[in-house]
Amino acid sequence: MDRCISIRGARTHNLADISLDIPRDKLTVVTGVSGSGKSSLVFDTLYAEGQRRYVQSLSTYARLFLQRMERPDVDAISDIPPALAIRQKNTIKNARSTVGTVTEISDYLRLLYATVGLTICPRCGREVSRDSVESGAVKILTEPGLYIVLAPFEAGSRSMLDAANYLIQNGYHRLFDNDAITETAEFAARAGAADARPEAPMMVVVDRVSVTGEAEVERVREALEKAFYLGAGRARCVRVERDNGNTHTAATLDFDRRFNCSNCAVPFAEPSSALFSSNSPIGACPECEGFGRTVELDLDKVIPDPKLSIRQGLVATWRTPAYREMNDWMIKLARRRKIRTSAPYREMTDEEKSWLLDGDPGPREKKWDETVWPGIHGFFKWLEGRRYKTHVRILLAKYRRFVTCAVCGGAKLRAEALNVWVDGQSIADVGKLSIRELVDWLDKIASIPEIATRAAVVMRELRNRVSYLVEVGLGYLTVERQARTLSGGEAQRIHLASALGSLLVGTLYALDEPTVGLHASDARRLLAVLHHLRDFGNTVVVVEHDPAMIAGADYVVELGPGGGSEGGQLTYAGSPAKAELDSMATSPGRVMLMRALSKRRKFTRRDPGIRIVGAREHNLDDIEVLIPAGRMVCVTGVSGSGKSSLIEDVLYNNFLRRGGDNSVEQGACDRIEGLELIGDMVHMGQELPTRSMRSNPATYLKIYDEIRKLFAATAEARRLGVTARQFSFNVKGGRCEKCSGTGTVTIEMHFMADLEVKCEVCDGRRFQSHILAIRLGDLSINGVLDLTVEDARAFFIRHPAIVKRLDALIAVGLGYLRLGQTTSTLSGGEAQRLKLARFLLVDLEPAPLDADGKHLPRMFLLDEPTTGLSSTDIRRLIKVLTRLVTEGNTLVVIEHNMEFIAHADYVIDLGPGGGDDGGRVVAAGSPLDIAACEKSETGRELRRLFGLPERGRQVRSALRLAAGA
């Protein structure tokens, strides 16, 4: 083997003192079942040591913290290059951060517009440019004739007579007025009163030149120089022609040395990089401050039910005890104004609605007059003055909505920036393009000679970055898409594209399942991107379960054989061609085909289900979708095809709105039928179940309550007078007060990311010494929290209440988690499955009831629950989800894993592409119906999985044969 990263004696977390060599400048995939130690090896050992050595190279100040930066539990690591970690989590919270800013595409677009952008006057549509003596002379010489060179002289505060005297004193005795030359003194005399001021610039004759060729060029330049000086940067050249002894204007040339429109004299800001930045006060829209949106009162939230009257509590804000007096005041004044208080809002007259919303007409006093009604708008304006109170800010946020800025139209920039065009497009127009469309636009403008010469470097960098985004399967994203709205997988691939664009060499890249959120057809392209990164001379180490990714690696490491205490051992290391990996053992295609045939059935309009009609949110193309009730339904399609828009924005948000939650923005659709079939809709996204640093699986599933009771019941606890309350992280008395029960302390490093280190008071054990001295069996409270779920089940085997909850975690594939592991460290897939485990426990999440007390089924919405799971774990998860379906619940799962999709009862395949190419129903039916559809990318992958022919017509014949067999 060539140069290698040598790891000896790795014992981080559950790693069993393993030693291995990872080849340098190669693509290595680390795989294994969940909890086998993959992340412990790649991130907590390999990357952590690379980061620690980087800190060693910093200043003395930085090295002061090195002793607090925990060294991985490993004997030795040698020949490790500088390390970068690209994880699944999207940690971006800033609303200003976009796809363009993260990938530096926006930076290069600003440079492009500042370099070759043309400023267009919005009044006359002419190009704005800065003229010079040389450029003016060239224009004049191209059209020979008799020219009068004029200077537009601004009199300013001078009167007409004073201005004329000033010009005469400086040798300018003639003016050009009404197509004729006149004496300056005569012109002033005709003006009348001595104190009269000129309304327009006085056109001063600087010279008259008969231009016939190059011989007059010096005289023309001299005349233009004088005209620019006298005209404060402006000059005008009038070409005149003689006709029967009279002269008339044949053409006019306006020149401006300033960056003004030569026709309208309107000044413009000269293009600069800052002018096109929404983060700079120079370029940001002054109204929305560069956000593109403004906040306004949302009357649909203030008045959620227009069927109610004033007397019935029409205004939701005033139903609370804190503001009920406003409702009473409104009713009192409404009677005086003869406003109907028993009429529903939708039946009120325009005058009554105006009084309710805007109050009594007339001026308002700073202090409220009890006889003058301020209206709903007046009330919220009054609240604005009390924003310094936290509860007021919370109240205002509850009844506000974001609307597109009326000044910039959502462009985020000043009008001056939007007047600059490249190929007829402003930078805001380019920001609305998808990455694929941006590729086409860049190819188009690359043929413009000026851009090809003046912006060659900028164009090269732009084309590199957008091509990398397309390669990682993100061509459907727009440049201005907010980075905080990206999924964990999208965020990871964005950073991967940025890494490619930076052209770093000799670096260790650690990636965490980059195929998350990618359709199987896109995953193969991602593999080519990783090969490209490797070919730059980098070492790429990937935690991954995808079979195609493993097959395309240069080197494979498998950990196992199980998870938690049964994992952490090196089961294979070598070439993928020779690998027979236990964690990747899948059901044979024939078995899955026969299972799909046995479950296959046709769904008709008569079958109970939820029907979404006319969905058109984002890129959805006015589609109609049926979701059969009581079934497992998979929503599939390539990235950006509209899956999340359909399920989350349209289905879930409309359900919440139907239930009275006005804080969400419902997705656009005509109607949703059949929602009465379900009692509740549960959305299980990949966001964390709670943001508290003290939250963990034990507290989330109420396991820790039972554990605290057991510790409090021990003889030592009773002797010391310690109660269950003192074993809590949230209460003073037993927890470590230095770290507030978290076990870690965050240090603000300022010069780099904040550093989280072990608490030096409790040594990461979270509790005070007298609490840690209390034992249950042979373990302290910290020792119990350090157990994995599977180990804890064995420890608490005699306590059924605890075992029942632990079994729910094991059932969803989380048996390897430690009871005390902070939920903020969980991946998106782990967080989703943790929430799913809660719904397996009836006492924690009881089923909804109807009016007769009967249980109503739920609808569960899941977003890629197979994230981070091996094939073995996926089959275990399918059993859990099937259990929920047999109980009458409906499961709607957004998924890319083909093995999971093959187990579904019904599949809705969206596409055929992403972005504008998606948003349509390509196919719908059983997995076999999707496999028979030639247009479906999902169908193509299912045909490979089932071992069916590639052509759709042949598939139907093969299915008939298989069914007959």
Side-chain angles (χ1 to χ4, degrees):
M1 188 180 288
D2 298 329
R3 289 182 63 195
C4 294
I5 301 171
S6 176
I7 303 173
R8 295 291 177 265
R11 295 175 295 276
T12 309
H13 300 151
N14 67 330
L15 294 180
D17 199 20
I18 63 173
S19 299
L20 72 156
D21 295 325
I22 295 176
R24 289 278 300 265
D25 305 334
K26 300 292 183 181
L27 171 59
T28 300
V29 169
V30 179
T31 189
V33 299
S34 300
S36 58
K38 303 181 297 297
S39 296
S40 297
L41 174 64
V42 176
F43 294 100
D44 299 333
T45 303
L46 199 59
Y47 168 68
E49 179 63 13
Q51 185 188 39
R52 191 183 71 86
R53 293 187 186 184
Y54 165 74
V55 173
Q56 264 185 331
S57 69
L58 297 177
S59 64
T60 305
Y61 171 72
R63 290 199 299 273
L64 291 175
F65 298 96
L66 186 61
Q67 58 186 347
R68 303 190 63 185
M69 194 171 184
E70 192 172 355
R71 185 180 184 277
D73 190 2
V74 60
D75 291 340
I77 299 180
S78 61
D79 205 14
I80 181 171
L84 286 175
I86 305 178
R87 300 178 184 266
Q88 275 183 39
K89 285 187 179 180
N90 184 2
T91 57
I92 299 172
K93 305 300 179 187
N94 191 348
R96 294 184 183 274
S97 182
T98 65
V99 170
T101 58
V102 172
T103 58
E104 297 181 341
I105 288 176
S106 292
D107 297 333
Y108 284 103
L109 281 176
R110 292 202 302 269
L111 287 173
L112 177 68
Y113 272 77
T115 304
V116 297
L118 304 178
T119 303
I120 307 300
C121 176
R123 292 188 183 180
C124 63
R126 292 188 182 181
E127 180 186 340
V128 179
S129 60
R130 185 189 297 277
D131 293 312
S132 64
V133 171
E134 287 74 16
S135 63
V138 170
K139 287 183 180 179
I140 292 171
L141 290 173
T142 56
E143 298 183 27
L146 178 61
Y147 282 88
I148 302 175
V149 182
L150 307 174
F153 177 71
E154 295 281 358
S157 61
R158 300 184 183 93
S159 66
M160 182 71 76
L161 187 58
D162 290 341
N165 290 334
Y166 172 81
L167 291 172
I168 292 170
Q169 287 172 8
N170 284 276
Y172 299 105
H173 296 276
R174 294 178 180 83
L175 301 177
F176 190 76
D177 183 43
N178 293 328
D179 275 359
I181 295 176
T182 181
E183 294 292 327
T184 306
E186 292 178 9
F187 180 81
R190 289 201 307 269
D195 59 349
R197 287 178 171 79
E199 297 179 358
M202 301 167 67
M203 305 307 295
V204 181
V205 177
V206 175
D207 199 356
R208 287 175 290 182
V209 185
S210 179
V211 178
T212 57
E214 292 290 336
E216 292 83 16
V217 64
E218 288 301 327
R219 186 173 172 185
V220 170
R221 287 176 178 172
E222 184 180 353
L224 283 173
E225 188 67 54
K226 291 179 179 178
F228 279 138
Y229 176 78
L230 185 62
R234 297 181 65 203
R236 176 176 292 178
C237 293
V238 179
R239 183 162 59 84
V240 296
E241 294 180 353
R242 296 183 185 277
D243 186 13
N244 297 326
N246 298 319
T247 60
H248 64 274
T249 302
T252 301
L253 298 176
D254 287 301
F255 303 106
D256 202 326
R257 206 177 235 175
R258 303 163 302 174
F259 199 69
N260 292 356
C261 176
S262 57
N263 185 54
C264 307
V266 177
F268 288 87
E270 197 159 359
S272 65
S273 181
L275 181 65
F276 303 106
S277 172
S278 60
N279 298 326
S280 166
I282 297 173
C285 168
E287 178 67 21
C288 63
E289 297 180 341
F291 286 98
R293 300 188 301 175
T294 54
V295 180
E296 69 174 22
L297 183 66
D298 189 349
L299 287 177
D300 290 338
K301 296 177 181 176
V302 178
I303 305 176
D305 189 356
K307 298 190 295 294
L308 297 179
S309 65
I310 292 176
R311 188 176 295 278
Q312 292 173 318
L314 172 65
V315 182
T317 321
W318 299 337
R319 295 174 191 164
T320 60
Y323 296 104
R324 190 166 292 155
E325 59 181 342
M326 287 295 300
N327 195 63
D328 298 338
W329 184 25
M330 174 175 60
I331 295 173
K332 177 181 175 182
L333 292 182
R335 290 173 182 160
R336 295 182 186 177
R337 306 293 188 272
K338 297 183 178 179
I339 302 294
R340 295 176 296 165
T341 58
S342 57
Y345 178 75
R346 62 186 178 187
E347 295 179 11
M348 284 184 175
T349 63
D350 290 342
E351 290 80 7
E352 289 173 329
K353 289 181 180 178
S354 177
W355 180 85
L356 174 66
L357 299 175
D358 302 322
D360 290 321
R364 295 280 189 273
E365 298 289 338
K366 287 187 177 181
K367 293 183 179 180
W368 280 4
D369 185 345
E370 292 189 2
T371 62
V372 179
W373 174 241
I376 291 174
H377 288 129
F379 169 75
F380 278 95
K381 188 176 180 180
W382 172 76
L383 282 179
E384 285 285 353
R386 286 156 178 76
R387 287 181 62 88
Y388 56 87
K389 297 181 178 179
T390 303
H391 72 278
V392 172
R393 290 197 300 273
I394 294 172
L395 181 68
L396 286 171
K398 187 177 180 181
Y399 295 102
R400 296 293 196 188
R401 67 174 178 179
F402 288 104
V403 295
T404 302
C405 176
V407 175
C408 66
K412 305 182 183 180
L413 300 171
R414 294 176 179 269
E416 294 91 327
L418 301 178
N419 291 329
V420 183
W421 293 358
V422 172
D423 190 41
Q425 302 272 347
S426 70
I427 195 169
D429 296 330
V430 175
K432 295 176 184 176
L433 298 177
S434 68
I435 299 299
R436 289 196 190 97
E437 292 169 335
L438 182 58
V439 171
D440 296 336
W441 183 75
L442 290 173
D443 290 340
K444 178 183 175 184
I445 66 172
S447 60
I448 300 174
E450 183 185 8
I451 294 178
T453 54
R454 295 180 57 197
V457 175
V458 174
M459 287 292 293
R460 185 189 69 217
E461 294 295 332
L462 270 173
R463 296 173 85 171
N464 281 344
R465 279 162 171 76
V466 296
S467 65
Y468 292 144
L469 282 173
V470 173
E471 287 178 20
V472 297
L474 296 177
Y476 59 91
L477 295 179
T478 59
V479 178
E480 284 298 314
R481 167 83 174 265
Q482 285 190 341
R484 64 179 180 173
T485 65
L486 300 174
S487 67
E490 287 173 332
Q492 182 175 211
R493 294 197 297 280
I494 283 275
H495 291 300
L496 178 58
S498 299
L500 283 166
S502 65
L503 300 177
L504 288 177
V505 296
T507 304
L508 168 66
Y509 284 95
L511 285 81
D512 185 12
E513 288 197 82
T515 58
V516 169
L518 272 186
H519 193 270
S521 60
D522 294 323
R524 294 183 181 85
R525 293 203 333 232
L526 178 63
L527 181 60
V529 171
L530 296 179
H531 285 160
H532 195 178
L533 193 62
R534 173 204 64 190
D535 294 342
F536 280 156
N538 297 300
T539 304
V540 184
V541 182
V542 183
V543 174
E544 190 55 83
H545 296 106
D546 186 81
M549 192 69 67
I550 294 172
D554 301 313
Y555 195 75
V556 174
V557 173
E558 186 188 41
L559 300 179
S565 59
E566 296 180 3
Q569 300 175 37
L570 185 64
T571 58
Y572 179 80
S575 168
K578 301 177 182 178
E580 294 182 2
L581 307 180
D582 296 334
S583 61
M584 297 311 300
T586 59
S587 300
R590 181 73 178 177
V591 173
M592 286 190 280
L593 175 61
M594 300 309 294
R595 185 188 295 120
L597 281 168
S598 66
K599 294 175 62 178
R600 187 180 189 184
R601 59 162 292 188
K602 292 288 184 182
F603 291 92
T604 67
R605 286 180 171 269
R606 297 178 183 176
D607 291 312
I610 288 83
R611 188 178 303 278
I612 304 171
V613 181
R616 51 189 179 276
E617 183 71 8
H618 298 147
N619 66 332
L620 295 177
D621 192 16
D622 199 21
I623 61 174
E624 180 175 336
V625 173
L626 169 68
I627 300 174
R631 300 288 173 180
M632 185 191 296
V633 180
C634 272
V635 182
T636 64
V638 300
S639 302
S641 58
K643 304 181 295 296
S644 297
S645 297
L646 176 66
I647 301 305
E648 297 177 9
D649 297 338
V650 177
L651 178 59
Y652 184 59
N653 286 358
N654 274 279
F655 178 82
L656 292 180
R657 265 301 185 62
R658 185 173 180 263
D661 185 354
N662 296 306
S663 63
V664 296
E665 297 291 335
Q666 59 192 26
C669 68
D670 293 339
R671 64 185 183 278
I672 300 180
E673 303 169 358
L675 288 176
E676 66 278 358
L677 297 173
I678 58 175
D680 191 16
M681 190 177 291
V682 182
H683 178 247
M684 292 185 182
Q686 298 200 358
E687 61 277 358
L688 296 176
T690 173
R691 295 185 181 276
S692 172
M693 286 292 292
R694 291 186 286 272
S695 174
N696 54 53
T699 58
Y700 187 70
L701 292 187
K702 306 296 183 184
I703 301 171
Y704 195 51
D705 293 347
E706 300 296 326
I707 293 175
R708 288 191 294 130
K709 291 176 184 176
L710 291 176
F711 269 92
T714 61
E716 182 67 11
R718 290 198 303 269
R719 185 182 70 80
L720 296 174
V722 175
T723 63
R725 177 182 173 86
Q726 290 170 279
F727 288 96
S728 171
F729 310 119
N730 302 316
V731 179
K732 293 181 179 181
R735 70 179 186 183
C736 169
E737 292 305 323
K738 174 69 175 178
C739 62
S740 298
T742 62
T744 60
V745 176
T746 301
I747 301 173
E748 293 186 8
M749 297 292 282
H750 302 295
F751 52 87
M752 59 183 290
D754 291 347
L755 191 63
E756 192 173 278
V757 298
K758 185 188 294 184
C759 175
E760 57 187 8
V761 174
C762 66
D763 195 30
R765 293 183 293 176
R766 310 186 191 196
F767 293 94
Q768 297 176 24
S769 56
H770 70 283
I771 298 295
L772 293 170
I774 300 172
R775 300 272 171 168
L776 181 66
D778 58 347
L779 294 178
S780 67
I781 186 69
N782 182 67
V784 169
L785 290 172
D786 205 38
L787 292 173
T788 65
V789 171
E790 290 177 342
D791 292 340
R793 189 187 188 283
F795 185 79
F796 292 108
I797 192 65
R798 297 182 180 178
H799 303 278
I802 295 176
V803 170
K804 180 177 70 171
R805 283 164 163 71
L806 294 173
D807 283 341
L809 286 170
I810 294 170
V812 296
L814 295 178
Y816 59 90
L817 289 184
R818 299 190 181 277
L819 289 182
Q821 183 174 339
T822 306
T823 54
S824 62
T825 64
L826 300 181
S827 68
E830 289 171 335
Q832 188 171 204
R833 295 196 297 278
L834 178 61
K835 287 182 276 189
L836 179 61
R838 189 179 176 94
F839 281 89
L840 298 178
L841 301 168
V842 179
D843 58 327
L844 293 183
E845 296 290 346
L849 304 175
D850 62 9
D852 299 327
K854 295 181 179 178
H855 289 289
L856 290 172
R858 291 188 177 101
M859 176 179 280
F860 292 93
L861 309 179
L862 290 88
D863 186 4
E864 293 196 72
T866 60
T867 299
L869 294 183
S870 66
S871 296
T872 305
D873 298 319
I874 289 172
R875 290 194 290 275
R876 183 186 299 172
L877 176 65
I878 290 172
K879 290 181 181 178
V880 173
L881 298 181
T882 303
R883 169 183 154 188
L884 290 174
V885 172
T886 56
E887 293 173 357
N889 299 301
T890 304
L891 265 70
V892 181
V893 186
I894 297 173
E895 190 53 78
H896 291 295
N897 183 277
M898 290 299 145
E899 186 177 351
F900 188 96
I901 295 169
H903 281 80
D905 300 308
Y906 192 80
V907 179
I908 301 167
D909 190 42
L910 300 182
D916 292 338
D917 294 333
R920 298 183 290 277
V921 179
V922 179
S926 70
L928 296 177
D929 294 328
I930 306 302
C933 179
E934 288 191 38
K935 296 180 180 178
S936 169
E937 290 287 342
T938 304
R940 181 181 293 112
E941 298 299 329
L942 284 173
R943 290 195 291 273
R944 291 175 179 168
L945 180 71
F946 290 140
L948 294 171
E950 283 295 317
R951 304 293 296 178
R953 294 176 183 174
Q954 298 170 345
V955 169
R956 295 183 182 89
S957 300
L959 289 177
R960 284 193 294 270
L961 287 172

